[in-house]
Amino acid sequence: MKVKLFSILAEEIGPTTEVDLKSEFYPSDVKQAIEDAYPKYKEVLDQSLVAIDEEYADDKQFSLNDVAEIAIIPPVSGG
Protein backbone atom coordinates (compact mmCIF):
# COMPACT_ATOMS: atom_id res chain seq x y z
CA MET A 1 0.00 0.00 0.00
CA LYS A 2 1.25 3.48 -0.82
CA VAL A 3 1.76 5.73 2.21
CA LYS A 4 2.06 9.51 1.92
CA LEU A 5 4.87 11.08 3.94
CA PHE A 6 5.16 14.65 5.16
CA SER A 7 7.72 17.00 6.70
CA ILE A 8 11.17 15.53 7.35
CA LEU A 9 10.09 12.07 6.22
CA ALA A 10 9.06 13.41 2.80
CA GLU A 11 12.27 15.41 2.55
CA GLU A 12 14.48 12.44 3.43
CA ILE A 13 12.59 9.43 2.01
CA GLY A 14 10.31 10.98 -0.60
CA PRO A 15 6.65 11.99 -0.77
CA THR A 16 5.44 8.37 -0.73
CA THR A 17 6.66 4.91 0.17
CA GLU A 18 5.24 1.44 -0.36
CA VAL A 19 4.57 -0.83 2.62
CA ASP A 20 3.25 -4.37 2.83
CA LEU A 21 0.34 -4.65 5.23
CA LYS A 22 -1.91 -7.53 6.17
CA SER A 23 -5.51 -7.22 5.04
CA GLU A 24 -6.40 -6.25 8.62
CA PHE A 25 -3.94 -3.84 10.22
CA TYR A 26 -3.47 -1.27 12.98
CA PRO A 27 -1.96 2.21 12.50
CA SER A 28 1.10 1.08 14.47
CA ASP A 29 1.69 -1.61 11.81
CA VAL A 30 2.12 1.15 9.21
CA LYS A 31 4.73 2.95 11.28
CA GLN A 32 6.50 -0.34 12.03
CA ALA A 33 6.68 -1.25 8.34
CA ILE A 34 8.27 2.11 7.54
CA GLU A 35 10.65 1.80 10.49
CA ASP A 36 11.70 -1.65 9.26
CA ALA A 37 12.59 -0.16 5.87
CA TYR A 38 14.10 3.06 7.28
CA PRO A 39 15.38 2.38 10.83
CA LYS A 40 17.16 5.75 10.88
CA TYR A 41 13.74 7.43 11.34
CA LYS A 42 12.54 5.42 14.36
CA GLU A 43 12.49 8.46 16.66
CA VAL A 44 10.50 10.56 14.18
CA LEU A 45 8.06 7.71 13.51
CA ASP A 46 7.55 7.15 17.25
CA GLN A 47 6.32 10.74 17.51
CA SER A 48 4.30 10.73 14.28
CA LEU A 49 0.58 10.32 13.80
CA VAL A 50 -1.09 8.09 11.25
CA ALA A 51 -3.94 9.48 9.18
CA ILE A 52 -6.27 7.13 7.37
CA ASP A 53 -8.56 8.63 4.76
CA GLU A 54 -7.68 12.14 5.97
CA GLU A 55 -8.54 11.51 9.64
CA TYR A 56 -6.12 10.83 12.46
CA ALA A 57 -6.31 7.14 13.26
CA ASP A 58 -6.57 5.70 16.74
CA ASP A 59 -5.49 2.19 17.67
CA LYS A 60 -8.50 0.48 16.13
CA GLN A 61 -8.10 -2.15 13.42
CA PHE A 62 -8.59 -1.21 9.77
CA SER A 63 -9.18 -3.26 6.65
CA LEU A 64 -7.19 -2.57 3.49
CA ASN A 65 -10.42 -3.05 1.53
CA ASP A 66 -11.92 0.01 3.25
CA VAL A 67 -8.88 2.32 3.11
CA ALA A 68 -8.18 4.69 0.24
CA GLU A 69 -5.25 6.65 1.71
CA ILE A 70 -2.70 6.37 4.51
CA ALA A 71 -0.40 9.19 5.60
CA ILE A 72 2.27 9.67 8.24
CA ILE A 73 2.27 13.09 9.90
CA PRO A 74 5.47 13.86 11.85
CA PRO A 75 5.48 16.52 14.54
CA VAL A 76 6.21 19.99 13.20
CA SER A 77 7.38 23.17 14.80
CA GLY A 78 6.75 26.62 13.50
CA GLY A 79 7.96 30.06 14.09
Side-chain angles (χ1 to χ4, degrees):
M1 174 102 192
K2 187 181 287 189
V3 177
K4 289 184 176 184
L5 303 175
F6 292 91
S7 187
I8 189 163
L9 295 175
E11 293 170 13
E12 299 287 326
I13 297 169
T16 63
T17 189
E18 286 284 332
V19 297
D20 291 325
L21 297 171
K22 296 178 182 177
S23 61
E24 302 289 323
F25 70 94
Y26 292 91
S28 59
D29 297 332
V30 178
K31 293 196 313 187
Q32 185 62 55
I34 296 171
E35 182 184 322
D36 291 347
Y38 304 97
K40 174 181 175 181
Y41 300 102
K42 178 186 181 344
E43 188 174 322
V44 173
L45 289 164
D46 286 347
Q47 298 174 31
S48 298
L49 297 173
V50 178
I52 296 182
D53 295 335
E54 299 184 359
E55 292 191 24
Y56 290 121
D58 57 16
D59 289 335
K60 74 177 185 177
Q61 190 174 44
F62 291 87
S63 170
L64 281 179
N65 295 328
D66 300 329
V67 172
E69 179 182 82
I70 302 174
I72 301 293
I73 316 293
V76 294
S77 61

